[in-house]
Every structure is written in structure tokens, then in C-alpha cells.
Amino acid sequence: MTEIRLHNTKTRTKEVFVPLDPQNVRMYLCGPTVYDRAHLGNARPVVVFDVLFRLLRLVYGAAHVTYVRNFTDVDDKINATARARKEAGALGTLEELIRARTEETIAWYHADMDALGALRPTLEPRATDFIGAMIAMIAGLIESGHAYAKDGHVLFRVRSYTNYGALSGRSVDDMIAGARVEVAPFKEDPMDFVLWKPSDADLPGWDSPWGRGRPGWHIECSAMSYELLGASFDIHAGGIDLQFPHHENEIAQSCCAHPEGQFARYWLHNEMLQVEGKKMSKSLGNFFTVRDLLDKGIPGEVIRFVFLQTHYTKPMDWTAEKAAQAEATLRKWRALTAGIEPAPSAAPEVIAALADDLNTAGAIAELHALASDPARLLSSAQLMGLLEPAMGAWAAAPQVDLTAHTARLSDLRAAAMVSKDFAPVDAMKAALVAAGVEVRMSKAGVELLPGAGFDAAKLPPL
RNA sequence: GGCGGGUUGGCGGAGAGGUUACGCAGCGGAUUGCAAAUCCGUGAAGACCGGUUCGAUUCCGGUACCCGCCUCCA
């Protein structure tokens, strides 16, 4: 069996991956808060850990991997959008408008991630379907002294969990020294974080022992991972930005609520995405969504390829130049593998690279080496979610009949061979190239191939 | 202030203590009327300063610079 090694953020070392149960390998990825379109940075963990999902399925069998990625559909930004719509005259209750907004956003998310070639996870739970489980977990935490209720809020007592800060390498005292924590009158300690908060009439809320309210951020992942994967499971993944406080708080909640378990055993974090060397942010004006790129005509497969060219533990820079190069490479490979059946298995070198802490860049280098073996190239690329037939429409040659142009150019060329005046041939060739046609002339004859930028309107008249 | 990541040839980007990464671009050649495409070949690196070592781009320490998290926009 292929030995998979993964960099575990928890231990800061690369470890051999040994699942608790090879019959059911369990992975949890923190999914999106569904308030708007996913931006490009949101897509990196999806693509990176999709490769891990595929690798685990290969090694343990597709039926023996459970991949959970949640939708957080409780959030103040969702509430704000719903309220704005209501004020603008939208029909329905606030709850219905919230539901409509999250349904809409989830559909966008699915469409966008599908376009990137990401497999759907085994389970995609919604936070609002697990409110009861969250309330139960919070109640248990209060009972065991790890949480307390105050003024309609429930807070996690950070000092009650001695390992708090272990994942991110911080101590509670250091963090307080940083003085960037919200101080609130209902907190025993400034580091304590909210498990439950009250909702007023125009906010969504659920009845609870602490009054009508809604869950704080963090608890949904603890509750859902417990319900769906158990008190101990194998892999927990997400962006490095989530390491603190989100994952730290998840660990505190889950380990205190279920001391019999060990929660997640391997923590994987991807580094951040940048755009042309800078952080993507609205203020810099370089903020864009996956859909923006797709709408610009950049195929999802190209985005995926660019992502996989950089190891997931390193910051990744999105540049137009990379997208162009990725497109050229994929176009070449698609031409090379057109009409070829994939080999029964991926190349061992590619599997080995992926098994070595998801060295996708190394795996791509191995793909280049497989250019002489298209069937193997195809099966290997497909293991990484590339060169899938369903994703290749963008690379298909435009369907046009150029036989008349071919014959015309061929005739001109034959005449020029005799007259030695190649000007008419060159003129027609230039016109064809301008129309986006690749012109190949050899002893065998003339061949015209419409390319990416083909424009029938620019074809030279016959 | 605390924690973490990065710095490799023109560009992108890996692995490995000692032998070619790889891709793109460039250059030379084959081929072509000229090109394109394809094929063959090829130059080019490891931020800086120390240390360990027979030998370090690879290990250790330090410096500089860049970036992220600690705060609602990942």
C-alpha cells in the first residue's frame, strides 16, 4: 500500500499517515460561510484538499473515505443581506429570505467549485441543520465547567483548557498582551469566546436553555464533525488563516466536550493566496471571485493547474502570466491525449509525489516527463483532476470547415513553387494567422488548424 | 509586541548533503520557399553573514527584506 506522508501542523513535522480505520478514512474541511460568491482564495483549500481526497480514495478505496465539508449558513453578513432585501421590498419572512440567500450562495459555490474540477465531498452539512447538536454540546460544556452562561450569552472558559494555544503556538497570556481581544462585560476573561449569543426579533434565532439565540462561530464545526465523523477522526484541513482562532477554538470545544476522543489527529493548513504579489483585498482593488475569472474566459481547469503548481504549504501567487502558461501546457497535453484511453493506473512517480505531502508541483513535473506516454499521462493527470473529459470543452478546436481555404492556399503555394513568387502565399497565410488559424505547410501538404483565438469573421475571402 | 511562512537561474517552481529537476522564455541545429508545429542539443541559480562537514543551495545560528495570522472582508 502506498505510504502517505503529511505535514501535520499540530506537530510541525511530516508524519506517516495512519488512519484510525482504513475502512473509513475521515477528513473534515472547513467550508465556506455562504454569504456571497467564493473569492479566489477560498478556492485554494478546495482544490488542494480535493487532490488529497482523490489520493485517499485511490489508496484506501473510494468507498472507504468520508470527506465532510460544511456550509456555515449562520452569519451576520447573511442576515444583513436578507434584511437589506426585506427593506428593499422583498417578500417573505426574514427566515425565508435568509434561506433563499444561502440556497442561492450554495448553488453558486457548487457551480464554481465544480468548474475547478473539485469532487463533491461525501457530506456537505449545513450548520442550521445541526443547531440541536450545537446546543447539546454547549450544554455539556457548561455542565463540565468549560463554559458559562451570562446575559443570554454562553462563553467558553479558555482557562479551563490547559492545552489552549498548542496548535497555533501561542499562550493565552501572550495573546492578552497583544491586547487585541474583545473585552465585554459578560466575559470572565477577555480571551473567552462566544458559543451562543442572543438574537433579537429581527435576527434569526433558535430556542435554547439560554433563551432565543444563535450559535457563535467555531461551534458548528465541532458539532458537525462530532456528529458525522465521531470524537476522533483522521484529518482536519483548512486555510492557515483559520489556524487561530477558529481551529484552536474547535479543538478546545471538542476536546473538552469529548475528552474520550482525540478530535482531529492530522491538521493540514494551506498557505494564503496572493494576486500579482500582493494580498487580495478589496481596498487594493485586486479582489475577485472564481466566477469573475471563469467569466473572463479562464477555464476552471487552468485555475486548478495554476493552484497545483505551487506546494500547498507555500504562499501562492496568482498571476495572469501563470494562467497563460498553464493554458498552453494544458492545451498541449489535451492535444497529445486526444482520442486516447487512459492507462489503467496512474504513473507510480506521480502517486509517489502526491503521497509525499501532496507535492503537486513535483507531480506536475512528472506529468511533463510522461509526454511520451499519452495514456499514462492521461490517467496520471486525471488522478489530480486534470485532463478530465468533462472539463475540456474550452480546449476543443472550433468546429469549422476550412477545406476551401486549405485548397486555395495549397493551390497558391503550388503556383508559387513554380513562379518563385511567394507573396500571394504569404499574404493569405498572414490573413489566416490573423484569424486565429495555425498554418502548417510541409512536403505532405497544407494543414489549417483553428486555434484558441479563432474568429471566422477575419478569414480571408476566397 | 506575539506566532507562523517565504527569499532558488530571465520568469515560474521542486527534490536531494556530493551526480541534469522540470516547465516557459532564450540560444544553436534539424525540418520549412519563409514560417508555424515538431524533434535534437544548450547556457543560466540558490538573499546576506557565520558555523558544522572532506564537501551545503540542501543541516545549524544570525542579519536583511517580503508576506500572513493575532481584528469584520480567507
Side-chain angles (χ1 to χ4, degrees):
Chain A
M1 179 173 286
T2 304
E3 181 179 280
I4 297 176
R5 297 191 305 146
L6 299 170
H7 180 86
N8 190 350
T9 316
K10 193 173 163 185
T11 58
R12 292 172 172 68
T13 55
K14 207 189 274 191
E15 299 174 358
V16 174
F17 175 67
V18 182
L20 286 167
D21 176 8
Q23 295 301 307
N24 185 18
V25 180
R26 286 160 285 164
M27 166 163 94
Y28 187 96
L29 175 65
C30 287
T33 300
V34 282
Y35 69 96
D36 205 350
R37 284 273 185 197
H39 69 233
L40 191 63
N42 298 133
R44 171 124 104 138
V46 173
V47 169
V48 162
F49 298 117
D50 175 65
V51 173
L52 177 59
F53 183 39
R54 290 168 185 268
L55 179 67
L56 291 171
R57 285 159 62 96
L58 176 76
V59 173
Y60 295 97
H64 302 294
V65 182
T66 303
Y67 171 24
V68 176
R69 185 180 65 207
N70 66 289
F71 285 117
T72 297
D73 56 352
V74 185
D75 175 77
D76 287 343
K77 287 185 286 291
I78 298 169
N79 302 337
T81 302
R83 208 180 307 184
R85 287 183 176 183
K86 181 140 186 88
E87 282 164 15
L91 298 174
T93 66
L94 195 60
E95 280 71 20
E96 286 166 348
L97 290 172
I98 285 168
R99 188 74 184 184
R101 176 57 170 172
T102 58
E103 292 289 352
E104 171 182 62
T105 312
I106 287 172
W108 287 343
Y109 188 80
H110 274 145
D112 295 348
M113 298 308 126
D114 289 353
L116 299 182
L119 299 174
R120 295 280 179 95
T122 320
L123 297 166
E124 295 184 283
R126 298 174 63 140
T128 49
D129 291 334
F130 287 82
I131 300 291
M134 294 184 218
I135 291 174
M137 185 174 264
I138 294 169
L141 287 169
I142 292 176
E143 200 171 319
S144 58
H146 292 292
Y148 55 95
K150 184 96 186 285
D151 299 342
H153 292 74
V154 181
L155 289 111
F156 186 87
R157 188 175 277 130
V158 166
R159 300 277 182 187
S160 77
Y161 181 58
T162 51
N163 280 335
Y164 191 80
L167 179 72
S168 51
R170 310 155 194 247
S171 75
V172 174
D173 293 320
D174 285 348
M175 287 184 277
I176 290 173
R180 281 170 155 173
V181 287
E182 185 195 359
V183 181
F186 47 79
K187 286 185 178 182
E188 281 181 7
D189 185 291
M191 284 307 295
D192 291 349
F193 58 89
V194 172
L195 297 171
W196 189 264
K197 53 191 169 187
S199 292
D200 56 29
D202 52 341
L203 281 174
W206 290 262
D207 290 328
S208 82
W210 319 287
R212 182 173 176 276
R214 59 199 197 282
W217 186 39
H218 315 306
I219 191 69
E220 84 280 17
C221 285
S222 285
M224 289 189 280
S225 65
Y226 175 72
E227 294 296 322
L228 300 171
L229 298 176
S232 303
F233 58 95
D234 298 303
I235 296 169
H236 194 128
I240 189 72
D241 54 306
L242 296 177
Q243 187 186 36
F244 185 90
H246 184 57
H247 290 160
E248 201 72 72
N249 293 354
E250 274 189 59
I251 290 173
Q253 293 160 353
S254 293
C255 291
C256 290
H258 299 288
E260 76 281 10
Q262 47 184 327
F263 196 41
R265 301 166 58 240
Y266 298 85
W267 284 86
L268 270 56
H269 290 102
N270 63 279
E271 255 292 346
M272 296 291 96
L273 174 125
Q274 300 185 331
V275 173
E276 306 284 353
K278 291 183 176 161
K279 179 186 176 170
M280 182 165 73
S281 74
K282 286 171 181 167
S283 57
L284 286 172
N286 63 352
F287 183 97
F288 52 87
T289 64
V290 174
R291 180 53 50 183
D292 291 335
L293 284 184
L294 295 171
D295 286 347
K296 268 172 63 185
I298 298 180
E301 187 178 25
V302 168
I303 299 171
R304 182 181 183 91
F305 188 95
V306 171
F307 279 3
L308 297 182
Q309 267 184 309
T310 302
H311 188 84
Y312 76 94
T313 56
K314 285 193 172 188
M316 197 215 91
D317 196 15
W318 172 270
T319 65
E321 172 65 22
K322 282 187 184 179
Q325 279 195 17
E327 181 174 333
T329 301
L330 286 168
R331 208 175 275 282
K332 186 172 81 177
W333 285 348
R334 283 202 170 270
L336 206 58
T337 56
I340 287 186
E341 281 298 308
S345 63
E349 297 80 11
V350 172
I351 296 171
L354 296 179
D356 181 12
D357 195 29
L358 300 180
N359 184 359
T360 51
I364 286 174
E366 296 295 344
L367 293 183
H368 282 292
L370 289 171
S372 57
D373 187 353
R376 198 72 139 165
L377 168 61
L378 194 53
S379 58
S380 302
Q382 288 178 348
L383 173 60
M384 301 174 71
L386 298 167
L387 304 188
E388 292 286 357
M391 293 181 79
W394 67 273
Q399 292 301 307
V400 277
D401 182 7
L402 292 174
T403 51
H405 289 88
T406 306
R408 173 72 179 147
L409 185 60
S410 197
D411 291 346
L412 284 176
R413 183 161 173 259
M417 289 293 202
V418 178
S419 69
K420 298 299 174 197
D421 174 13
F422 287 92
V425 184
D426 289 338
M428 183 170 181
K429 187 176 78 179
L432 286 166
V433 170
V437 179
E438 188 184 302
V439 180
R440 296 185 186 177
M441 288 188 270
S442 67
K443 279 178 181 157
V446 172
E447 202 181 351
L448 299 183
L449 301 164
F454 177 72
D455 182 355
K458 290 185 183 165
L459 282 174
L462 291 166

